[in-house]
Amino acid sequence: MKKIETKICIVGAGPGGATTSLFLTKFKIPHVIVDAKTFPRDKVCGDCLDLKVMRILNTLEPGLVEKEILPNENFTKVNGVLFHLAANKKPIVEYKSTTNQPNFPYFCIAKRNYFDNYLVKKIDDYYATFLQETQVHTITTVANKQVVFAKQGLQQIEITANIIIGADGDHSVVLKHLQERTIDRTNYAAGLRQYWKGMGTNNNATNCLELYLPKSLPAAYLWIFPLPNGEANVGCGLLSEFIATKKVNLKKLFEDIIKNDIVLKKRFEHATPIEKIQGWGLPLASLRRKPIGDGYLLVGDAASLICPTTGEGIGPAMMSGCIAAHFLQRAVEQNDFSAAMFTHYEREIYAKLNSSINMFKLVTKTFPILYNVFLNLVANTTVCKMYFQKMVGKWIHTGFSKPFKVKLD
């Protein structure tokens, strides 16, 4: 058996785990990172990179986004957002870029098999021992240390660490061994994704992120996200609670909207799917899963940090990885990996998600039936559009220009 000793072991090299590793390297802290797959690998997702992603990347290395992301043809730069209520021909236009923001998009879209590999290739083997195709099967606690048993091909590996970082997604092995993984349908969603080709563009705008909201199902939405080479990420998401109570067949709902919606059926008339429909689960931040304990931290989906109002998970994962690395830096300096060292880690991650969590709870608990009616009446007003346009400009400035700050105390 191959034995490795380290202060920090990260399980999972997706955006959350990779970001943790990259910031630990920035702080010159040696660590081990393991992943069950070999990169590049696909990950079922909406592929949307929001401004949190841009801000974390530019915090990691100032100007990184401008230098490596924006000129890269594997990233679609999205300069507008269109909302449609299903069966309505006229969209609710939430945002269109202005002439003073030509180089700073609101979103970027990139397939996860490319973006995750982009992050992984930045992992520095001087500070990080990176073990790919390494499946963790058991974790035990011995003398205040975490012992990770894994297998890489025929090689058995034992990793002893002061702290383990669970960055291995919704079905986290770390969570399974160190906490109880339960699914609360009120704070969990299901999503479907299918790549399409030949959809063309919406007549109202090009390079727009498009969302379609069915009137019959509050908190459900279908998206069309433009990708390079004439492709698009098309998907549908719905709360698990509604799936159960309304007995929704999400795949059928997805196919019915595409086929019958007065706007969408024209978009798909000459388009071709290039894969089978793929599904995955979304653990929402509204669950408020406890992300710390003696000798472990959780980041990303393992910590249940998906934004509940949008379903966006890459930004929160990278944000939590950045925050985790800052707290780990202090823990290494003081050689203390108890839960007490990470008390404010929870505060820092939820400070960036609380507004979304509160809005989600208001919508789902107070007036879910009026959700789409509210959007149609309020979001479509001139005042709302002007306010949103102004706010997006501020968010873009923050996302590209202001370093991400972490408060330890």
Side-chain angles (χ1 to χ4, degrees), residues 34-297:
V34 304
D35 196 279
K37 301 292 184 180
T38 298
F39 289 76
R41 56 93 178 99
D42 186 33
K43 173 70 168 65
V44 183
C45 179
D47 296 334
C48 185
L49 310 176
D50 69 358
L51 291 172
K52 288 189 286 293
V53 174
M54 306 305 143
R55 192 177 186 189
I56 294 300
L57 288 175
N58 274 351
T59 300
L60 179 67
E61 181 184 327
L64 181 63
V65 174
E66 292 87 336
K67 181 174 66 175
E68 295 186 1
I69 301 296
L70 299 186
N72 191 327
E73 294 182 353
N74 292 285
F75 295 85
T76 298
K77 274 61 75 175
V78 173
N79 294 310
V81 180
L82 295 179
F83 276 91
H84 276 270
L85 291 180
N88 283 10
K89 291 183 178 182
K90 184 180 178 181
I92 301 172
V93 181
E94 286 287 344
Y95 169 75
K96 287 184 180 178
S97 64
T98 57
T99 54
N100 64 341
Q101 298 162 347
N103 298 317
F104 299 100
Y106 190 15
F107 295 97
C108 287
I109 314 293
K111 289 185 176 181
R112 288 289 298 275
N113 64 351
Y114 181 85
F115 180 69
D116 288 16
N117 194 50
Y118 166 82
L119 293 178
V120 159
K121 286 194 295 185
K122 289 185 173 295
I123 292 176
D124 187 346
D125 60 10
Y126 186 84
Y127 290 102
T129 300
F130 186 21
L131 305 176
Q132 299 188 58
E133 201 69 32
T134 301
Q135 183 73 53
V136 174
H137 54 79
T138 306
I139 300 171
T140 60
T141 303
V142 179
N144 294 323
K145 290 194 175 183
Q146 305 297 340
V147 184
V148 178
F149 295 93
K151 188 174 182 180
Q152 186 184 57
L154 299 177
Q155 175 75 65
Q156 296 288 341
I157 301 175
E158 178 185 309
I159 305 169
T160 302
N162 294 79
I163 189 166
I164 184 169
I165 312 304
D168 48 342
D170 180 30
H171 298 278
S172 170
V173 176
V174 177
L175 182 61
K176 177 182 176 183
H177 285 277
L178 298 176
Q179 278 193 30
E180 181 181 357
R181 178 185 180 270
T182 58
I183 294 180
D184 177 356
R185 287 179 173 173
T186 61
N187 298 292
Y188 198 85
L192 300 178
R193 181 205 76 188
Q194 188 173 41
Y195 288 130
W196 284 71
K197 193 173 183 67
M199 291 193 61
T201 60
N202 191 298
N203 291 330
N204 295 283
T206 58
N207 279 352
C208 272
L209 184 152
E210 301 174 58
L211 298 174
Y212 295 80
L213 308 174
K215 290 182 177 179
S216 58
L217 289 171
Y221 66 97
L222 183 141
W223 66 81
I224 301 175
F225 296 164
L227 287 164
N229 304 315
E231 296 182 8
N233 182 316
V234 183
C236 184
L238 180 62
L239 278 175
S240 296
E241 181 181 25
F242 286 110
I243 292 176
T245 57
K246 295 182 177 292
K247 299 180 180 178
V248 176
N249 182 321
L250 190 58
K251 181 180 178 181
K252 186 176 184 300
L253 172 68
F254 179 64
E255 293 173 335
D256 285 349
I257 294 175
I258 289 174
K259 185 182 297 183
N260 299 318
D261 181 80
I262 192 170
V263 174
L264 283 174
K265 65 181 181 181
K266 294 180 180 179
R267 296 293 310 280
F268 288 87
E269 188 175 3
H270 302 293
T272 305
I274 56 178
E275 69 166 351
K276 293 182 179 179
I277 295 175
Q278 309 283 333
W280 83 105
L282 294 88
L284 305 179
S286 50
L287 178 65
R288 292 188 178 274
R289 173 173 285 148
K290 189 171 183 60
I292 65 170
D294 289 331
Y296 74 90
L297 282 180

Side-chain angles (χ1 to χ4, degrees), residues 352-370:
K352 307 301 187 293
L353 292 167
N354 276 335
S355 60
S356 176
I357 291 172
N358 293 336
M359 177 60 71
F360 170 79
K361 290 184 176 180
L362 178 66
V363 169
T364 56
K365 302 299 182 184
T366 309
F367 54 93
I369 296 175
L370 301 177

Side-chain angles (χ1 to χ4, degrees), residues 51 95 101 106 385-398:
L51 291 172
Y95 169 75
Q101 298 162 347
Y106 190 15
K385 289 179 182 180
M386 291 176 61
Y387 174 77
F388 194 82
Q389 184 90 9
K390 181 179 179 180
M391 292 304 299
V392 169
K394 291 183 177 180
W395 296 335
I396 289 176
H397 174 72
T398 297

